[in-house]
Amino acid sequence: MATAGKVIKCRAAVAWEPKAPLVMEEIEVAPPQEGEVRIKILYTSLCHTDLFHLLESTDNKGFPTILGHEAAGVVESVGPGVTEFKPGDKVIPNSGCQCRECKFCKSPRTNLCERSWVNDHIEYMSYPKTSFTCRGKPILQFTNTGTLAEYIVIRQIYVVKIDDDAPLDRVCLLGCGVTTGYGAAVNSAGVTPGSVCAVFGLGAVGLAAVMGCKNAGASRIFAVDINEKKFEKAKVFGATDFLNPKAYNKPISEVLIEMTNGGVDFSLECVGNTEVSRLALESCAKGWGLSVLVGYTNTDFSSKPIQLIYGKTWKGTLLGGFKIKDGVPKLVLDYMSGKIMLDEFITQRMKLEQVNDVVKLMKNGECIRCILDMSK
Amino acid sequence: MVAMETEGKVIKCKAAVAWEPGKPLSIEKVEVAPPKAHEVRIKIAASGVCHSDWAYLYDIAKMKPRPFPLVLGHEGAGVVESVGPGVTKVSIGDKVIPLFLPQCGQCERCQSPKTNLCTKNWEKTQQGVLADGTSRITCKNQQVHQFIGISTFSEYTVVPEDNVTKIHPDAPLDRVCLLGCGVSTGYGAAVNTGKVESGSTCAVFGLGAVGLAAVMGCKAAGASRIIAVDINSDKFEIGKTFGATEFVNPKDHSKSIQEVLRELTNGGVDYALECVGDVAVMRAAVEACSPAGGVCVIVGWIEVEELSLAPLDILLGRTLKGTYFGGWKSVEAVPRLVQDYLSRKILLDEFVTHRLALDQINQAFDLIMSGKSIRTVIEM
């Protein structure tokens, strides 16, 4: 490529400070160093974690930054020591990583990697080091990705190579939301055939969790949301029952316990709300119920320990428990063979310049996923 | 069958009665009615004194209220004195352990391999009465409630047949009584609920009987490091007896205990068992776990307070669960645990630090509060 080894000037949507609109800027993207890959981003979408950081941050630590962590593109160039990738490869950059060498990567119990930015830099939601600059100022890469930029540079351990025939404008969703929700059901919860499940929150992550419950053979899937407009889409993904908590004058956990004669076998919280986390746990069956926390927030949540003593389990998930280099390529193939849906998550398609419109749509619950086309 | 001279009659005997919360137990002469259908009357030979007994009397802010007056005690062993109509599983003269957790074998929970929480008579026994809604103990013409349907602080008690298990005739009742609660709970928390794996690193918070049993369970499961945590360093010696490899007193460190443990283990333990019953300790136990698949088991009993956690601590990959009676299906498991003791696979003698008569039972509570005892056994 004509750009290999050189600084690339390109467009990006920069978040200069919390709660402010994103600004289209020309940025400079440094060439990849040892072990790094520079990727031309072709399609990206926003996730509620991006919105959370932009709208809910209480300080400037993680700013200025380039958001975006759900994307697909092609390798533009690679740095020294990179053998797994070559220019032209179709790839999905990821906010989780897999080095394959550390004790975490070698353990079947976790998808964490000792080298992940999550271990040391969570307060910035980024590595301190960045390959982005704008008017001489360093710009962070949100969750080590920053895909609201035409080009990004990340370490190879965060890059997933996918099938050459994969349609990038759809499989970009496997960078975060769909992988997270689907994996939360099939990996983290380990939903079993014939089981009864409840999914709280019907955004992309929740709908992917519904799809995961269905694929795992659940016999009954309760879709729970205060926005009933989402029930139709939940049905598409496999939900069997639909509950709006605002339609009842008692906690939704009590409703679920009554409807299931004791509680659900698995519940998945896909909102990122502390009260919903509690309700999801309390909706589970005594003795064996398992609740998976999927939605992110930084506020403490609570419940009575007696819920656990009486046999319920509480666990969480990052990226659906998938080891990304192993899991994501398989999901791409699953999509290509019709085992999982992706098209049905896409409700809008826009250009990068319209990114603030997407933020607004997501805030208003009028969007499941909007695909941003990065081309000029 | 050898008929007891007391069979079918009301028995007058001694019991330690809690007339009201916050007051010492009162040794009283009580009347114990004969067993009704599907009930068993047991002559209690020995009973352990558990922290929960103390808590329901003196720390009621942390517990759901129980009706008073009440005979406490849920860690006993004895001999069947008589059985009511329909009882086929035990006979007069059998050595038995009454169980606060039943196993009917028929309900959905008993049929499931995932849980031990039998539902038979649950609501009734939690309210201190038996299947027909009444207790079998009266004192001064007043009904006295039976703690969790058991009441082992009485020379005689009556329990539902699904709340009793027959044990080996050679079992020493003054030691195997501990399998009625504390030891089974802690040991099972490690081997059943936590499913501690060989070669793993564990931390046990709180070195009372439950915590020491958890240490023993971690060792039996083949853990390579067992870090015992307690604010009372006097307990470290006995911790070693049960298998602890390291000892940490939180008071010796300015950092939080979870930070200390994460540093000691290069990122966190594989399994943490909270055996104190304090929500702050529970949170510390969660945060002491490795984010990469670490498992925290809540063992300590608490009913009212709330546990607060940071979502990220769970999202990264920790699992939080709890245990009731160590996850054992009670009727079938306790006889096996007795057998394990008789064949020296588990320790019991080492838990007993004091022996008292029923008349001295309030001293047992004092010993608990002073931290000087692990288990006091009341010999009837």
Side-chain angles (χ1 to χ4, degrees):
Chain A
M1 300 224 175
T3 51
K6 297 171 183 154
V7 171
I8 290 179
K9 292 183 201 287
C10 67
R11 291 172 305 142
V14 175
W16 286 104
E17 62 196 30
K19 301 177 173 61
L22 305 182
V23 183
M24 290 301 302
E25 300 275 11
E26 179 176 82
I27 64 167
E28 297 181 343
V29 184
Q33 305 300 301
E34 174 93 27
E36 293 181 339
V37 179
R38 189 158 63 181
I39 301 166
K40 180 175 168 61
I41 301 297
L42 299 180
Y43 298 95
T44 188
S45 45
L46 284 181
C47 194
H48 278 280
T49 311
D50 300 294
L51 264 68
F52 185 90
H53 188 70
L54 179 64
L55 303 175
E56 310 285 346
S57 283
T58 52
D59 58 41
N60 279 36
K61 257 182 204 154
F63 291 86
T65 191
I66 292 175
L67 299 168
H69 59 284
E70 195 174 80
V74 294
V75 174
E76 175 271 338
S77 62
V78 303
V82 175
T83 58
E84 193 183 342
F85 302 96
K86 65 184 192 302
D89 283 348
K90 283 185 174 177
V91 293
I92 290 176
N94 219 280
S95 50
C97 64
Q98 188 181 353
C99 73
R100 297 193 196 278
E101 288 160 14
C102 71
K103 86 185 174 197
F104 288 179
C105 284
K106 288 174 177 171
S107 166
R109 288 164 62 130
T110 181
N111 64 342
L112 278 190
C113 172
E114 281 177 358
R115 295 182 161 89
S116 175
W117 63 274
V118 164
N119 299 319
D120 299 302
H121 309 295
I122 195 76
E123 72 270 24
Y124 299 99
M125 290 299 278
S126 174
Y127 276 118
K129 176 189 174 290
T130 175
S131 302
F132 293 150
T133 55
C134 180
R135 293 189 246 114
K137 194 170 193 173
I139 311 294
L140 297 172
Q141 295 177 239
F142 184 66
T143 70
N144 186 59
T145 40
T147 60
L148 290 181
E150 283 183 281
Y151 287 86
I152 71 171
V153 174
I154 61 177
R155 301 182 197 184
Q156 62 182 329
I157 60 178
Y158 291 86
V159 185
V160 178
K161 185 173 173 179
I162 61 175
D163 193 273
D164 283 343
D165 294 329
L168 297 183
D169 65 331
R170 281 160 275 170
V171 299
C172 58
L173 298 183
L174 294 172
C176 181
V178 175
T179 302
T180 297
Y182 187 76
V186 303
N187 297 333
S188 307
V191 169
T192 51
S195 61
V196 178
C197 305
V199 175
F200 291 72
L202 300 174
V205 171
L207 292 171
V210 169
M211 180 168 71
C213 293
K214 182 180 180 188
N215 280 19
S219 63
R220 200 171 178 192
I221 304 166
F222 289 88
V224 183
D225 205 299
I226 57 174
N227 181 353
E228 294 190 15
K229 291 177 194 164
K230 297 182 175 180
F231 290 164
E232 193 58 41
K233 189 69 85 167
K235 189 172 181 180
V236 168
F237 285 99
T240 60
D241 297 72
F242 310 89
L243 303 176
N244 178 350
K246 287 185 185 292
Y248 300 90
N249 55 15
K250 59 190 165 185
I252 197 65
S253 52
E254 285 176 43
V255 176
L256 279 163
I257 286 170
E258 283 168 19
M259 292 183 78
T260 59
N261 191 32
V264 300
D265 301 312
F266 303 96
S267 74
L268 299 110
E269 194 279 349
C270 302
V271 180
N273 174 281
T274 56
E275 186 54 28
V276 179
S277 303
R278 172 212 290 275
L279 291 167
L281 176 69
E282 294 177 4
S283 301
C284 288
K286 234 181 203 180
W288 57 74
L290 193 159
S291 185
V292 179
L293 185 68
V294 191
Y296 174 74
T297 183
N298 56 11
T299 307
D300 280 4
F301 63 147
S302 63
S303 193
K304 291 188 162 84
I306 200 71
Q307 293 279 339
L308 304 166
I309 287 167
Y310 283 156
K312 303 183 191 187
T313 299
W314 221 352
K315 62 191 314 195
T317 188
L318 274 192
L319 289 164
F322 283 107
K323 289 184 187 281
I324 57 151
K325 286 176 183 278
D326 300 329
V328 174
K330 273 190 206 124
L331 288 172
V332 168
L333 295 178
D334 284 346
Y335 167 65
M336 291 169 72
S337 62
K339 286 187 191 125
I340 65 167
M341 297 182 280
L342 289 179
D343 303 60
E344 292 77 359
F345 289 98
I346 301 168
T347 48
Q348 287 97 359
R349 288 180 179 274
M350 294 187 182
K351 292 287 197 176
L352 178 61
E353 285 76 9
Q354 299 172 273
V355 67
N356 286 310
D357 294 334
V358 184
V359 170
K360 192 183 300 179
L361 286 168
M362 291 186 77
K363 272 171 65 182
N364 296 337
E366 290 163 14
C367 167
I368 297 178
R369 277 296 190 268
C370 175
I371 305 296
L372 289 173
D373 182 338
M374 304 292 282
S375 65
K376 292 186 172 73
Chain B
M1 177 184 296
V2 179
M4 300 273 187
E5 67 184 73
T6 53
E7 188 177 8
K9 297 171 184 154
V10 171
I11 291 178
K12 292 183 202 289
C13 67
K14 272 196 309 188
V17 176
W19 287 104
E20 64 191 274
K23 297 283 175 52
L25 302 181
S26 179
I27 305 301
E28 303 279 1
K29 178 151 285 190
V30 300
E31 299 181 343
V32 180
K36 298 188 178 181
H38 300 294
E39 293 176 359
V40 178
R41 189 158 65 181
I42 302 166
K43 180 174 166 58
I44 299 295
S47 176
V49 181
C50 192
H51 185 271
S52 315
D53 297 303
W54 174 86
Y56 280 103
L57 187 61
Y58 288 115
D59 205 13
I60 55 180
K62 290 188 177 177
M63 303 294 159
K64 273 184 194 168
R66 300 291 160 134
F68 283 77
L70 177 66
V71 171
L72 291 158
H74 60 289
E75 200 176 71
V79 176
V80 175
E81 176 273 337
S82 61
V83 302
V87 173
T88 58
K89 299 172 190 170
V90 296
S91 309
I92 291 174
D94 285 347
K95 283 186 176 177
V96 293
I97 290 176
L99 305 160
F100 64 87
L101 176 67
Q103 187 185 354
C104 71
Q106 266 88 55
C107 70
E108 183 189 16
R109 305 263 185 82
C110 283
Q111 297 288 316
S112 169
K114 298 180 204 167
T115 184
N116 61 343
L117 294 171
C118 176
T119 55
K120 189 74 176 288
N121 297 320
W122 178 270
E123 259 110 46
K124 296 251 172 34
T125 55
Q126 293 296 306
Q127 286 304 305
V129 293
L130 302 192
D132 66 350
T134 69
S135 89
R136 300 287 165 266
I137 301 178
T138 55
C139 182
K140 299 172 183 174
N141 293 313
Q142 192 170 345
Q143 174 174 269
V144 179
H145 293 90
Q146 297 180 233
F147 183 54
I148 331 178
I150 303 292
S151 291
T152 59
F153 290 172
S154 172
E155 289 176 324
Y156 287 85
T157 188
V158 178
V159 306
E161 67 176 334
D162 294 318
N163 288 77
V164 60
T165 191
K166 180 178 172 178
I167 61 175
H168 197 281
D170 293 336
L173 298 179
D174 63 333
R175 279 159 275 172
V176 298
C177 59
L178 302 186
L179 293 171
C181 179
V183 175
S184 303
T185 297
Y187 188 72
V191 304
N192 297 330
T193 308
K195 294 185 172 56
V196 168
E197 288 177 0
S198 180
S200 61
T201 300
C202 305
V204 175
F205 291 72
L207 292 182
V210 171
L212 291 169
V215 168
M216 181 168 71
C218 293
K219 182 179 179 185
S224 57
R225 284 177 80 185
I226 305 167
I227 305 170
V229 181
D230 203 288
I231 57 174
N232 180 354
S233 296
D234 292 343
K235 295 189 171 175
F236 292 158
E237 195 57 39
I238 194 167
K240 192 172 180 181
T241 298
F242 285 96
T245 59
E246 289 154 82
F247 307 92
V248 179
N249 185 333
K251 292 187 169 180
D252 293 343
H253 300 268
S254 53
K255 290 176 178 170
S256 68
I257 185 60
Q258 54 268 45
E259 281 176 86
V260 172
L261 290 173
R262 283 200 298 261
E263 283 170 17
L264 267 180
T265 59
N266 190 31
V269 298
D270 299 313
Y271 303 91
L273 298 110
E274 193 278 348
C275 303
V276 178
D278 180 281
V279 290
V281 179
M282 290 172 185
R283 179 165 187 152
V286 173
E287 294 176 359
C289 288
S290 167
V295 176
C296 177
V297 182
I298 303 299
V299 194
W301 182 255
I302 188 169
E303 276 182 312
V304 171
E305 285 184 8
E306 297 231 329
L307 168 60
S308 190
L309 292 170
L312 198 58
D313 286 334
I314 301 297
L315 285 168
L316 286 175
R318 295 178 177 94
T319 298
L320 179 57
K321 43 172 60 174
T323 191
Y324 193 80
F325 196 55
W328 301 106
K329 289 193 183 275
S330 55
V331 170
E332 62 190 53
V334 169
R336 287 201 316 260
L337 290 169
V338 167
Q339 200 64 48
D340 284 346
Y341 168 66
L342 292 172
S343 59
R344 300 191 205 284
K345 283 185 193 139
I346 64 169
L347 307 177
L348 287 180
D349 303 58
E350 292 75 359
F351 288 99
V352 182
T353 52
H354 298 81
R355 293 176 181 280
L356 297 172
L358 183 59
D359 295 15
Q360 302 168 289
I361 194 163
N362 286 304
Q363 288 178 46
F365 284 155
D366 294 338
L367 286 164
I368 286 178
M369 287 320 292
S370 66
K372 287 183 180 135
S373 68
I374 301 295
R375 265 303 185 267
T376 298
V377 171
I378 302 297
E379 292 168 336
M380 300 298 190

